[in-house]
Structures are given as C-alpha cells and as structure tokens.
C-alpha cells in the first residue's frame, strides 16, 4: 500500500520492465543475504556478475557499452535496489556511475574507450576521490595537490595528499582523483590505477550505517601519474567534479524513497500483526495517524522524484532544483523513519526482521552527495540570486544592497 496514489501505474512499458527486473534481482540476490553482510561490514562481491548481466551500470551514457538509461529508469532501479539494500543501491546508482561519468564528461576519447566498457560490465570498479579529511562540503578548496614532474623522459604529475570516505576505495581498480595544481591553483582530475607506488588505502572501521559499503581513507605519497591520465578539459570545480553530480544527487533521492517504502511496508505489516492491549497496533488511532503521515510523504516524494527525473531527461533540470529535491527527500525521510522505528519499539532497531538498517542508513544518504544544508544553499542561490558559499567575515565586509 505504499503506492497509495497508484503513481507507478503511470510508468511507460519500458520503465515498468526496468523496475520489474530490478525488483527481481533485489529479491533473489540481495534480500536473502544482505543482513549477514551488513553485520560483518562486508560487501557482497559475489552478486556483481549477475548485476552486470542486467546492464544497469553506467547512468545515461549512451555508448561505450553503457546502458544509456533515462533518469526515470535509473531512479526506478535505485529505488528497487534500495528496498533490499540502500548500500547496494548506492554502489549501483552512485559509486560506480559517478566515476564513469567523470571519465565520460571530462576525459579524452582514448580514456573513454579504454575504461568505460570494462566499468559498465563491472570488470573494473571505480571510485570517486573528492572528499578529504579537512574538506567535506567545502570540496572546491582541495588540499590534495599535484605538480608537474618528468619521469624517464615522460611528462606527468606528482600527486600528494589524502582522501576520506571514498566509497569502493578498498577494492577499486580505478581511482578518479581531484586535486589542486600547486603552481596555479587550478583543479585537475586524474585517472589513477591501483597498484601505483605511493598509493595506500585503508578501510574506515566502526561505522554505524552503510556497513556493507566499503569506505576508505586513501593516501597519495608522491604518486607519479602520466599526463595521458589527466582529464584534458578540467581547470576548476565547475568544469570537473560539479559536472558529475546532477545524476547522482537525483539517484540519492530515489534511494532515500526506496528505503522509506520498504520500511513503511514492513512497519505496516508489523503493526497489523502486533497485538497490544487486546488489539493490533494498527487499530490504534495514534498508529493509524502516523502511518498515514508517512504514506502521504511517500506519495509526495515519489512525485517529486519522478518530475525532476523527467526534467533531467529533457535537459531542463537545474542543479538547484536537484539540490532541493535531495535535501527535501532525505530530510523528510529521516522524520518518517523516526515514526516507523517508534511504532516498532525495540524491534525497530533490528535489521533481520525490523527496519534497523534503513533507520541508520538514511543518515548516510542524508549526508552524501552534498549534505542537506549544502543542497538547500545550492537551491537558494538560484532562488535569491545570492550565494551563501562564503565565510561570514567575507560576507560582512561587503556592502549589503539597500533594496531587494
């Protein structure tokens, strides 16, 4: 009963087929095993060959053996996979695609031909190395640096610095790395292959959420990278990493809704069966009210995701519109998860029978791909025409307009 307004009935036949295939894969290959992997904080690598057969990976890239998905199709895949595991959905809809989109949007033709087909077929795993230990939301001021260096007569670059919270970082074959040119302050992007001297990865331990996602700390100690591995057109944040975030922020929104739908349906069944004070919990007024609050939010969030995805497919979606979608979805979902967890009591903290995984994983979705506050500011910049991305002291030094 999560699709109370029959929103999915408006989908086109191909969209219905994609959704059905994603749901079948999730039910057969992810749901039966994911709780054990989550408990051990391990990623289920063994499902990747079956996932590759579905041709779900590669976002809207039209060639290079990529699926050329519409944003609506990609969102439906993300939603159905998130119902089984928000972490597996994140791998499929965000972590692998964002490294591929970087190569597609910023790379040379030779780089695209060399890397994208294997990545689309999951023969090579990528990771997107942007966030740093001291640079989370302020990702346009990177401390990871590069400088020109010649090795054996070949032009290249020396890469030095640290990255943190890098999804897939422990097992990636390809590292898409963003760094500041120490000579001129420009931002450059590089394709760094695993195994290079000076490259070290370590798994981030003791996470309370997204436990199956393998996040890493990455150290680059004078890693020499050939000039042929540099993205030729990237000189700043806008021409580099920012170009890759439109798709992934929409997918993050669908993932949040998918997890919420699954948690809602589990909670609905729980309250219908759980008897307290002589009646099912679902017969109580307070329970029914909370269930309907969540049900209503699901309808509104689904409609928002669908509409923005359609705008994306029409090349009419702005980064501000997408940012507002992502912020609103995860902010609303967090509130709804609290209602659902509360209705299940202590059992709601379990993830083998309750909604415990979803309850904590929404915190990760709320934070990655731009935190809620950052996405709200991205949207507000478009609405107000004023940017709040500056320090308070620098803002106060400027004369405020006398009229709005």
């Amino acid at each position: 009963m999560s699709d109370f307004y029959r929103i999915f009935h408006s989908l086109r036949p191909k969209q219905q087929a994609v959704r059905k295939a994603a749901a079948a894969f999730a039910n057969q290959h992810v749901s039966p095993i994911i709780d054990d992997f989550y408990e051990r904080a391990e990623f289920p690598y063994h499902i990747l060959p079956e996932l590759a057969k579905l041709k779900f990976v590669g976002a809207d890239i039209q060639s290079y053996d990529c699926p050329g998905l519409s944003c609506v199709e990609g969102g439906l895949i993300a939603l159905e996979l998130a119902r089984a595991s928000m972490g597996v959905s994140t791998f499929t809809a965000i972590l692998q695609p964002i490294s591929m989109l970087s190569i597609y949007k910023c790379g040379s033709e030779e780089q695209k031909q060399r890397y994208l087909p294997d990545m689309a077929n999951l023969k090579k795993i990528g990771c997107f190395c942007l966030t740093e230990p001291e640079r989370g939301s302020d990702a346009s001021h990177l401390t990871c640096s590069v400088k020109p260096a010649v090795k054996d007569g070949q032009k290249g670059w020396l890469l030095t610095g640290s990255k943190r919270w890098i999804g897939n970082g422990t097992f990636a074959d390809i590292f898409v790395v963003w760094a500041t040119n120490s000579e001129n302050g420009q931002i450059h992007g590089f394709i760094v292959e695993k195994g290079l001297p000076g490259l070290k990865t370590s798994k981030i331990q003791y996470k309370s959420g997204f436990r199956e996602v393998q996040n890493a700390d990455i150290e680059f100690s004078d890693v020499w990278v050939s000039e042929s591995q540099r993205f030729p057109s990237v000189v700043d944040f806008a021409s580099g990493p920012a170009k890759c975030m439109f798709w992934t922020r929409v997918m993050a929104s669908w993932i949040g809704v998918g997890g919420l739908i699954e948690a809602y349906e589990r909670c609905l069944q729980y309250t219908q069966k759980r008897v307290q004070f002589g009646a099912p919990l679902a017969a109580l007024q307070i329970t029914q009210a909370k269930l309907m609050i969540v049900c209503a939010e699901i309808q509104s969030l689904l409609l928002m995701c669908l509409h923005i995805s359609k705008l994306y497919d029409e090349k009419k979606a702005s980064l501000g519109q997408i940012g507002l979608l992502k912020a609103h979805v995860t902010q609303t979902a967090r509130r709804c998860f609290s209602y659902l967890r509360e209705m299940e009591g202590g059992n709601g903290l379990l993830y083998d029978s309750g909604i415990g995984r979803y309850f904590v994983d929404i915190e990760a979705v709320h934070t990655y791909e731009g935190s809620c506050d950052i996405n709200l500011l991205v949207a507000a910049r478009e609405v107000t025409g004023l940017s709040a991305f500056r320090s308070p002291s620098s803002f106060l030094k400027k004369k405020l307009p006398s009229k709005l």
Side-chain angles (χ1 to χ4, degrees), residues 258-273:
L260 181 59
I261 286 174
E262 180 65 22
Y264 169 78
E265 294 195 356
R266 288 190 181 195
C267 185
L268 177 60
Q269 294 176 9
Y270 180 89
T271 57
Q272 289 171 328
K273 296 177 181 179

Side-chain angles (χ1 to χ4, degrees), residues 390-400:
R390 65 191 79 188
S391 67
S393 58
S394 65
F395 182 82
L396 292 173
K397 290 178 183 178
K398 295 191 176 183
K399 185 177 180 180
L400 296 175

